[in-house]
Amino acid sequence: MASHVLEARGLSKAFGGLLAVAEVDLAVAEGEALGIAGPNGSGKSTLFNLLTKVPFAADSGTVLLDGRPLDSVPAHAIARLGVARTFQRESVFPSLSAIDNVLLAAEGSRKARGFAARLRLAERALDGAGFPATLHNALAGQLPVFLRKLVMIASALALEPRVLLLDEPASSLTPQEIERIRALIARLLDSGMTILLIEHVLPLLTAVSHRLIVMDQGAVIASGTPAEVIANPAVVEAYLGKKT
Ligand SMILES: Nc1ncnc2c1ncn2[C@@H]1O[C@H](COP(=O)(O)OP(=O)(O)O)[C@@H](O)[C@H]1O
Ligand SMILES: [Mg+2]
């Protein structure tokens, strides 16, 4: 059995002359929470794109799931193999209800066949995200931002992922809501899920991550336990700006 559930070797992606992700290596163990920090534009969200191929794959490098290279595996098959993501930008359909948003995601499920099975899956996903049972039929566009975020997370959970990639789930939330996101991530980890978390809210990132990496200009510039990483002078420099 492979010791790492998800692994990346030499992942790179350029946009024109800009190297957004530059030769990134990482490895995540089953059940681990890997936090990803770094200034805006450092390549964190692009790294999630490359890991899932949603919406695009790397120019070079390899992603491995359970030690198996995914080079020739398309995005929808990667999702079916158990890797799901959320997006930093809002990605709910505002004119659909909460449950219909999650039902759409459940279409990608490898197991649930037929409407009734997908509905159960979508309801379970909303419950699992802590979304209120009374609001399943509310229009997503009329929900407050916290509940829209839960719909986004539930849409990922509807794929019953083993590996969940969360891109800034706590942005624009109040401290109380961030605490609920922390508790949700802790519950998912308790259930055995592997989690990659991009987050600017450092108290959340350090509270849930077993290990942290920091990106700057597309590259991983530091990694270790949260305490080790925060004490690293290169990390402070990346956030506060380099002297030129
Ligand atoms: N689809 C795209 N087309 C062109 N440039 C992009 C695209 N996506 C991201 N970038 C650029 O790549 C760099 C990394 O972006 P991103 O991965 O979103 O950073 P982060 O998530 O760390 O803020 C930025 O300079 C950004 O402008
Ligand atoms: Mg981003």
Side-chain angles (χ1 to χ4, degrees):
M1 186 167 151
S3 55
H4 291 119
V5 54
L6 189 70
E7 202 179 332
R9 295 183 190 158
L11 281 189
S12 296
K13 174 75 188 179
F15 297 110
L18 174 88
L19 197 52
V21 172
E23 293 283 332
V24 166
D25 297 320
L26 60 83
V28 192
E30 185 112 49
E32 187 177 29
L34 177 72
I36 304 171
N40 280 329
S42 56
K44 305 178 301 294
S45 294
T46 303
L47 176 64
F48 273 14
N49 299 341
L50 307 186
L51 289 171
T52 57
K53 300 194 190 180
V54 179
F56 49 71
D59 296 332
S60 57
T62 296
V63 179
L64 302 99
L65 186 64
D66 298 320
R68 170 188 169 200
L70 298 178
D71 296 340
S72 58
V73 180
H76 71 269
I78 294 174
R80 283 185 183 190
L81 288 169
V83 183
R85 71 169 298 179
T86 66
F87 291 89
Q88 180 176 353
R89 288 214 193 137
E90 189 142 329
S91 59
V92 298
F93 297 100
S95 59
L96 294 183
S97 66
I99 190 76
D100 282 346
N101 266 274
V102 184
L103 260 172
L104 265 185
E107 299 272 343
S109 162
R110 63 207 133 143
K111 281 186 242 142
R113 297 196 191 280
F115 180 76
R118 283 203 296 276
L119 183 60
R120 275 198 303 278
L121 187 61
E123 287 171 342
R124 258 211 320 277
L126 280 170
D127 288 348
F131 187 89
T134 50
L135 292 176
H136 282 197
N137 292 312
L139 287 186
Q142 292 179 357
L143 294 169
V145 57
F146 176 64
L147 295 181
R148 292 202 303 274
K149 293 231 176 205
L150 295 188
V151 170
M152 287 164 62
I153 294 172
S155 296
L157 294 179
L159 296 168
E160 300 180 285
R162 294 170 53 209
V163 185
L164 178 63
L165 289 71
L166 296 168
D167 195 345
E168 298 198 24
S171 62
S172 353
L173 299 185
T174 66
Q176 291 78 10
E177 291 164 344
I178 292 170
E179 166 53 27
R180 288 175 65 184
I181 295 285
R182 188 205 58 73
L184 167 58
I185 293 173
R187 279 203 309 280
L188 296 174
L189 286 169
D190 276 347
S191 77
M193 208 174 277
T194 304
I195 292 186
L196 280 72
L197 172 67
I198 296 174
E199 192 47 77
H200 279 294
V201 178
L202 284 185
L204 173 63
L205 192 66
T206 54
V208 302
S209 303
H210 302 125
R211 205 152 51 82
L212 272 187
I213 64 172
V214 180
M215 293 183 69
D216 188 29
Q217 298 182 41
V220 175
I221 59 158
S223 73
T225 64
E228 285 166 355
V229 164
I230 283 168
N232 183 330
V235 173
V236 177
E237 194 178 74
Y239 275 101
L240 300 183
K242 294 184 180 67
K243 295 172 201 83
T244 47

